[in-house]
Amino acid sequence: MSIEISKVTANIGARVSGVDISKPLDEEQVTAIREALDAHKALAFDDVHLDDEGQQAFARHFGDLTTAHPTVAAVDGAPNVLPVDSERGRANHWHTDVTFVLNPPQASTLRSITIPPYGGETLIASSAAAYRDLPAPLRALADTLWAEHTNDYDYAVPDEQIDEEQAAQRAQFTSIKFRTAHPVVRVHPLTGERGLFIGGFARRIVGLSVGESRKLLDLFQSYVTRPENILRWRWSPNQLVLFDNRITQHYAVDNYDGRPRRLHRVTVAGDVPVGIEGKESYSIEGDASHYTSVAE
């Protein structure tokens, strides 16, 4: 059977059928999936029967793997697998994975392990569609800007609302402090598309105050999170979603009344982002060489 790609929304997302990703893929299959990912930004595979080893093997078709996370512990015995577990915190904020390091992952895979009986969707937004939506004056401004991304803050919970366990999780997340400057508009290395490269770890526009930065970042972010630019993925058993981390953002919806929810994440090492003038991102603080190689 040949690979079939079925669009889910106009701007982002497609279902992939006709391929068994639990088996080694040939070059033609990998190329077809890569081309579909370039076109649709996020791909869903149904009825997959993978364990952690199989998920890693699938992700390796697209490049070297990162370790699970620069600061957060991996699944026991699987250093490349991050447990995305509601008991360890909830990433209910818009973000692109690990943008606080110099070369964030190029792609992320999420596999359903335990899903709640309702809710718990993952939202994935196209930052390419967001860039295209910008009015010309805003697009021209965004093209010139750089933003500082960091993990050195809590992006979800105010200090006065955290308990001892949450405080320990926060301390682990920031145990190595990273700060990196990325272009607000990133050029995709394979397609040449431009996308807004911001999200929850972007804290300040280079050259502006924090207050000024927040107003601009919120304005640009409002284009990313337009409903037309979002895939709302409702998880089912035995599913895997692959998304291009270079040109999307995502958000885990906390709407399942504290029921158990667990996914496993494996990410593929990425390249150093490049802006429209060809300038590369640069590190300000923190060495992530223990976490990821740099994709060529």
Side-chain angles (χ1 to χ4, degrees):
M1 184 185 297
S2 60
I3 294 179
E4 295 184 6
I5 309 296
S6 305
K7 287 183 72 166
V8 178
T9 82
N11 287 330
I12 183 169
R15 287 181 182 270
V16 181
S17 58
V19 60
D20 184 354
I21 64 171
S22 68
K23 298 177 180 177
L25 305 180
D26 61 34
E27 186 175 341
E28 184 177 347
Q29 290 172 317
V30 173
T31 298
I33 293 171
R34 172 68 80 180
E35 289 177 350
L37 185 63
D38 289 344
H40 301 289
K41 316 300 186 264
L43 303 177
F45 299 81
D46 294 317
D47 196 28
V48 299
H49 298 279
L50 296 171
D51 55 12
D52 288 335
E53 202 53 54
Q55 184 177 357
Q56 292 171 80
F58 171 70
R60 281 194 186 94
H61 285 105
F62 306 99
D64 294 338
L65 302 186
T66 71
T67 58
H69 191 274
T71 58
V72 177
V75 169
D76 287 345
N80 304 105
V81 182
L82 181 74
V84 181
D85 194 325
S86 58
E87 294 184 0
R88 293 176 45 158
R90 297 168 190 178
N92 56 328
H93 70 114
W94 283 104
H95 66 288
T96 299
D97 283 337
V98 202
T99 58
F100 46 83
V101 304
L102 180 61
N103 59 307
Q106 60 161 295
S108 296
T109 65
L110 289 173
R111 176 170 59 95
S112 56
I113 305 296
T114 302
I115 56 174
Y118 50 83
E121 300 93 342
T122 296
L123 309 184
I124 308 174
S126 170
S127 58
Y131 179 80
R132 293 194 299 269
D133 287 345
L134 291 175
L138 281 182
R139 199 180 307 137
L141 174 61
D143 287 345
T144 70
L145 298 176
W146 286 66
E148 184 178 304
H149 296 234
T150 181
N151 67 327
D152 190 15
Y153 70 100
D154 184 83
Y155 47 81
V157 184
D159 286 341
E160 61 273 15
Q161 293 183 14
I162 67 170
D163 58 24
E164 188 173 327
E165 182 180 1
Q166 291 169 324
Q169 291 170 349
R170 177 185 294 187
Q172 181 186 40
F173 190 80
T174 59
S175 58
I176 304 173
K177 293 179 173 58
F178 295 96
R179 288 190 301 142
T180 301
H182 293 300
V184 166
V185 178
R186 180 179 185 177
V187 178
H188 194 284
L190 298 181
T191 67
E193 279 186 290
R194 297 178 181 184
L196 291 175
F197 197 62
I198 44 176
F201 298 117
R203 303 306 293 167
R204 188 177 69 85
I205 299 293
V206 174
L208 299 182
S209 70
V210 171
E212 292 166 332
S213 299
R214 190 71 269 149
K215 290 182 174 66
L216 272 181
L217 288 168
D218 286 346
L219 176 60
F220 291 133
Q221 184 68 15
S222 71
Y223 285 84
V224 177
T225 57
R226 284 184 167 184
E228 294 83 357
N229 296 335
I230 294 171
L231 170 68
R232 188 180 186 104
W233 191 255
R234 172 72 177 105
W235 289 97
S236 297
N238 302 316
Q239 286 184 325
L240 181 138
V241 171
L242 165 68
F243 57 87
D244 191 328
N245 198 56
R246 295 176 288 206
I247 204 158
T248 61
Q249 291 183 30
H250 55 284
Y251 182 114
V253 186
D254 183 6
N255 61 350
Y256 45 97
D257 290 332
R259 302 291 185 91
R261 178 186 186 272
R262 184 180 176 105
L263 310 174
H264 280 186
R265 186 182 87 185
V266 176
T267 54
V268 183
D271 51 307
V272 177
V274 175
I276 65 169
E277 295 179 345
K279 182 181 176 183
E280 292 187 340
S281 300
Y282 56 92
S283 178
I284 301 168
E285 180 181 7
D287 178 4
S289 58
H290 67 288
Y291 162 65
T292 181
S293 59
V294 178
E296 297 298 329

